[in-house]
Amino acid sequence: MRKHLLSLAIIAALGAPAYGAVLEGNALYETLFKSGTLSQMEEGDKLVYRREVTNKVKPETATRDTGNVVLSLEQGDALMANLEFRQEEKHRNLGSFPASIGNPMIMYFAETVARDMAETAGGSPFYIRNRLKEALVGAAEIAEGQVDLDGAGIAVKTVVMRPFADDPNRDRMHGFEDLELIVAMSDAVPGWYLSMSAVTPPESAVGYRSETRFVAVEDAE
């Protein structure tokens, strides 16, 4: 099996993205949930993502949730995308999804953020999950630019969403009310997603950050 690592140290923006344009509704959905993102992969191929979490209020959950997420393809009645969380010698199955619908990492990202927020700030996890899902099909700022990936410039689209900006319950979210979701995507990255981040502002007491970044592809033997 061949493994191609993408060094995080050399992924650097070639200038700050200039947001301004807005994506809404179907245009946002089709960008975030782009179809065919796994069509070039074969059974046995694996995409490796690194998830790193910071949480000043509940640091033990950040330790629990920091690790690798591995997407592998397996042929059954249909080609399935299997997700597995790996933390040293511990492996945990996260679920299987039809590969035909695209890369399930975007929904895994949203689900983990919803869980983290509910654990940290309290409140209904169903309410939080619904607000995050609405953000993924609502409106977002978008910027297009380039990053340097393994010595080559690649075109990247980055969207920023603020799911609780106008929420009537902002004052009950204990530091998460100004949470930003930032998703960077590129056709040059296997599986489409370069990184997915959920970040509270620096002044927020919760000090929450969850980043899931693509780091490697493993080819089938």
Side-chain angles (χ1 to χ4, degrees):
M1 176 178 291
R2 293 176 296 160
K3 184 172 184 178
H4 308 289
L5 295 175
L6 300 178
S7 172
L8 297 182
I10 58 175
I11 298 178
L14 301 181
Y19 296 101
V22 175
L23 281 181
E24 296 181 283
N26 287 340
L28 176 59
Y29 178 87
E30 290 172 1
T31 297
L32 289 172
F33 296 88
K34 185 176 180 179
S35 61
T37 52
L38 300 178
S39 61
Q40 301 302 314
M41 295 179 62
E42 300 177 353
E43 181 181 6
D45 285 353
K46 296 180 180 180
L47 303 181
V48 182
Y49 298 84
R50 178 67 180 175
R51 184 178 187 227
E52 296 189 355
V53 184
T54 302
N55 188 327
K56 291 182 180 179
V57 174
K58 288 185 173 290
E60 68 278 7
T61 64
T63 300
R64 177 197 67 192
D65 297 331
T66 293
N68 289 345
V69 180
V70 179
L71 183 158
S72 59
L73 291 187
E74 181 179 351
Q75 185 68 54
D77 293 337
L79 189 62
M80 302 297 291
N82 303 320
L83 296 183
E84 182 181 63
F85 181 77
R86 297 180 181 179
Q87 191 180 59
E88 297 180 349
E89 301 303 317
K90 300 176 183 178
H91 293 188
R92 175 164 52 89
N93 181 46
L94 299 173
S96 298
F97 310 87
S100 59
I101 67 173
N103 190 335
M105 284 298 296
I106 186 70
M107 290 311 301
Y108 168 75
F109 166 69
E111 287 292 328
T112 55
V113 172
R115 183 198 64 193
D116 292 352
M117 182 175 168
E119 284 185 343
T120 305
S124 166
F126 304 103
Y127 182 88
I128 295 168
R129 183 180 296 112
N130 287 338
R131 296 293 81 75
L132 292 178
K133 288 182 177 179
E134 287 175 4
L136 296 176
V137 295
E141 295 179 358
I142 183 170
E144 298 189 14
Q146 281 195 327
V147 299
D148 185 37
L149 182 62
D150 275 354
I154 64 171
V156 173
K157 294 181 180 180
T158 304
V159 300
V160 177
M161 296 155 282
R162 300 175 180 87
F164 306 112
D166 300 313
D167 196 287
N169 295 303
R170 280 174 51 85
D171 60 348
R172 300 165 58 187
M173 292 182 176
H174 304 288
F176 283 90
E177 60 273 11
D178 293 315
L179 183 77
E180 289 188 342
L181 306 180
I182 306 166
V183 182
M185 301 150 282
S186 175
D187 284 318
V189 175
W192 181 235
Y193 304 113
L194 176 61
S195 65
M196 295 166 280
S197 303
V199 186
T200 57
E203 65 272 16
S204 171
V206 71
Y208 176 78
R209 181 180 182 89
S210 171
E211 181 178 46
T212 301
R213 182 181 288 274
F214 175 70
V215 294
V217 57
E218 296 178 358
D219 298 336
E221 294 180 351

